[in-house]
Amino acid sequence: MLPDQRFIIHVDMDAFYASVEQRDRPELRGLPLIVGGLGPRGVVSTCSYEARRFGVHSAMPTAQARRLCPDGVYLRPDHARYEEVSERVFEVFHEVTPLVEGLSLDEAFLDVTGSLRLLGSIETIGRRIKDAIWERTQLHASVGMGPNKLLAKLASELSKPNGFHRIEAERAAQELAPLPVGRLWTVGKVTEQALHRLGIRTMGELAASDTARLASALGRQVAALQALARGEDDRRVEPAQAEQSIGAEHTYDVDITELALAEAWLLRHCERIAARARQRGLQGRTVTVKLREPPFVTHTRQAQLRAPSASAIDLYELARGLLNAWWKSQQRPRLRLLGVSLSGFAAERQQDLFDSSAERRVTDQVQDSINSRFGSGSLVRGGVLKTRQQD
């Protein structure tokens, strides 16, 4: 191994949300399943491979997906459940290296250069990750391996679904040459169209083109684009920093015009983020409420708790005051989106036996225990139930 050689793995769960649903509901297996917002403003979060055959894809408006796949099964996402599965997946990553850069709940880069001596070749480590994810979640992951992030990600993409592929530096130019330029991570629609106008459609054509000719159309980014087209990428895997905030929000198909319903959603969000904070052993002091009026006018209101907390009721009481103050200031209050976040974290502190909030902590602990055993959302406070009419 050369002194500066790196070994990077990219892991991407296959159709993550849809796969979790099909795992937990066997009757959905083999069916075109679309997970996302179901109302007129809804967007597809992800879909099963059966649905992709109809042309459905993530980020597509749900209304368009229904036209393409009218007989599909449409479900709202259960983010709390997906987060639980994601935590088990990331546990696998951290068992092979501390250098994990999470891109989303279901995707990450891992630098395993320092793990080779202990765990074996990059293929051995990649297979270990893939097998462990299946054993713990019964879900398939696509694993790509390479000497840099670009090639590792392309390797996983090219081998999906349930993929396992390595692109070595010596073969990079050959494997990349026929791929469309739009597959490069810095090439958006505008740059892709500019390249097409120059007659450049593949990475091989981009790598072999005259730099001066390209510069007149693309400017300073030409050298970087051509390096990527050759498979060169010097980006490092950046391990996740300490969590800065935990939040939850929801966009409504029908604008909220009743304060009581807004308060119910606020409580639901506070329960969710407080549970996540407790799972991580964190307590926060800053509560932020996000309020969006139709069509896209967004307001934020922020306040400090008297002491760091991970109690849903502590968060809710402060957030409710912020919501009410905003609501009263509006002539015709309407909400398209409502969200809450907790920040200003400190490690969970030892509790005073005579602390007046002890009863709230016991309630939270009971709720955590039941939801852990029977699934997220099995036990909620009565004030949350009104929101389930909109699920």
Side-chain angles (χ1 to χ4, degrees):
M1 183 172 74
L2 298 175
D4 60 347
Q5 188 174 4
R6 289 184 292 157
F7 293 82
I8 309 299
I9 293 177
H10 177 259
V11 183
D12 193 3
M13 303 298 293
D14 295 337
F16 183 53
Y17 293 2
S19 295
V20 172
E21 297 294 348
Q22 290 179 320
R23 178 198 68 178
D24 296 344
R25 299 171 62 177
E27 70 274 14
L28 299 178
R29 295 173 188 170
L31 299 179
L33 174 63
I34 297 92
V35 180
L38 303 188
R41 297 170 177 166
V43 174
V44 175
S45 296
T46 192
C47 60
S48 67
Y49 285 94
E50 294 85 358
R52 296 181 192 193
R53 298 185 190 127
F54 293 86
V56 180
H57 58 77
S58 60
M60 172 184 285
T62 304
Q64 182 181 354
R66 289 186 186 278
R67 290 193 293 272
L68 293 171
C69 187
D71 297 325
V73 178
Y74 291 79
L75 297 177
R76 291 185 185 277
D78 184 345
H79 293 290
R81 186 150 51 104
Y82 308 148
E83 288 166 6
E84 291 172 1
V85 178
S86 174
E87 287 179 1
R88 293 202 289 275
V89 170
F90 273 73
E91 286 173 0
V92 173
F93 299 159
H94 285 283
E95 289 173 3
V96 299
T97 178
L99 300 178
V100 177
E101 180 182 344
L103 305 179
S104 63
L105 290 178
D106 62 329
E107 182 181 6
F109 284 112
L110 293 76
D111 187 334
V112 298
T113 308
S115 306
L116 300 181
R117 184 170 298 178
L118 179 64
L119 301 179
S121 69
I122 189 171
E123 288 95 342
T124 299
I125 297 173
R127 181 61 64 184
R128 169 176 170 162
I129 292 169
K130 188 176 177 67
D131 291 346
I133 290 174
W134 171 257
E135 289 169 4
R136 299 182 198 183
T137 70
Q138 290 73 58
L139 297 174
H140 290 300
S142 288
V143 174
M145 297 151 286
N148 57 47
K149 293 167 81 170
L150 170 70
L151 295 178
K153 183 171 174 63
L154 285 173
S156 68
E157 290 177 352
L158 293 172
S159 60
K160 273 184 165 290
N162 196 21
F164 188 82
H165 183 51
R166 180 183 180 186
I167 299 178
E168 299 184 61
E170 298 78 12
R171 291 183 50 82
Q174 180 181 346
E175 292 208 42
L176 268 58
L179 300 179
V181 290
R183 299 291 289 269
L184 290 175
W185 64 272
T186 58
V187 174
K189 288 294 182 184
V190 173
T191 302
E192 183 179 22
Q193 290 169 2
L195 288 168
H196 287 177
R197 285 194 293 270
L198 294 172
I200 298 170
R201 295 187 172 274
T202 68
M203 294 188 195
E205 291 169 345
L206 175 58
S209 294
D210 178 69
T211 301
R213 173 173 172 258
L214 292 175
S216 63
L218 300 176
R220 297 179 181 178
Q221 62 176 325
V222 171
L225 285 178
Q226 288 191 297
L228 290 172
R230 294 191 296 268
E232 301 168 8
D233 179 15
D234 60 2
R235 291 174 300 156
R236 297 278 175 178
V237 171
E238 302 289 346
Q241 301 299 310
E243 195 155 20
Q244 299 298 308
S245 68
I246 298 174
E249 62 182 44
H250 189 84
T251 299
Y252 306 101
D253 296 329
V254 178
D255 296 335
I256 289 182
T257 57
E258 298 178 21
L259 178 58
L261 181 55
E263 290 176 336
W265 273 102
L266 197 71
L267 177 58
R268 179 171 175 170
H269 293 333
C270 287
E271 283 199 336
R272 181 178 169 192
I273 63 177
R276 287 168 58 191
R278 292 192 297 272
Q279 287 173 357
R280 292 160 173 75
L282 298 172
Q283 294 184 325
R285 189 156 198 162
T286 303
V287 175
T288 304
V289 176
K290 179 178 177 182
L291 311 116
R292 179 171 296 159
E293 299 179 85
F296 293 104
V297 181
T298 304
H299 310 268
T300 58
R301 298 292 185 269
Q302 189 176 92
Q304 303 284 318
L305 293 161
R306 285 180 293 182
S309 177
S311 162
I313 293 302
D314 287 348
L315 274 56
Y316 174 66
E317 288 178 348
L318 187 57
R320 184 186 181 194
L322 296 172
L323 170 65
N324 276 263
W326 178 85
W327 197 274
K328 291 175 183 177
S329 71
Q330 305 299 304
Q331 287 186 340
R332 191 165 171 261
R334 305 176 71 86
L335 285 175
R336 173 191 175 96
L337 175 148
L338 177 62
V340 188
S341 65
L342 179 66
S343 58
F345 291 123
E348 199 166 15
R349 58 189 171 86
Q350 178 113 16
Q351 300 293 340
D352 188 332
L353 290 175
F354 302 101
D355 187 343
S356 60
S357 63
E359 183 177 340
R360 292 180 178 182
R361 293 199 309 277
V362 170
T363 301
D364 288 334
Q365 290 167 1
V366 170
Q367 186 176 24
D368 289 345
S369 176
I370 291 176
N371 287 336
S372 174
R373 182 175 180 183
F374 297 104
S376 178
S378 297
L379 180 64
V380 298
R381 289 169 173 83
V384 169
L385 297 177
K386 191 172 185 178
T387 68
R388 293 191 167 176
Q389 299 170 7
Q390 297 185 328
D391 281 349

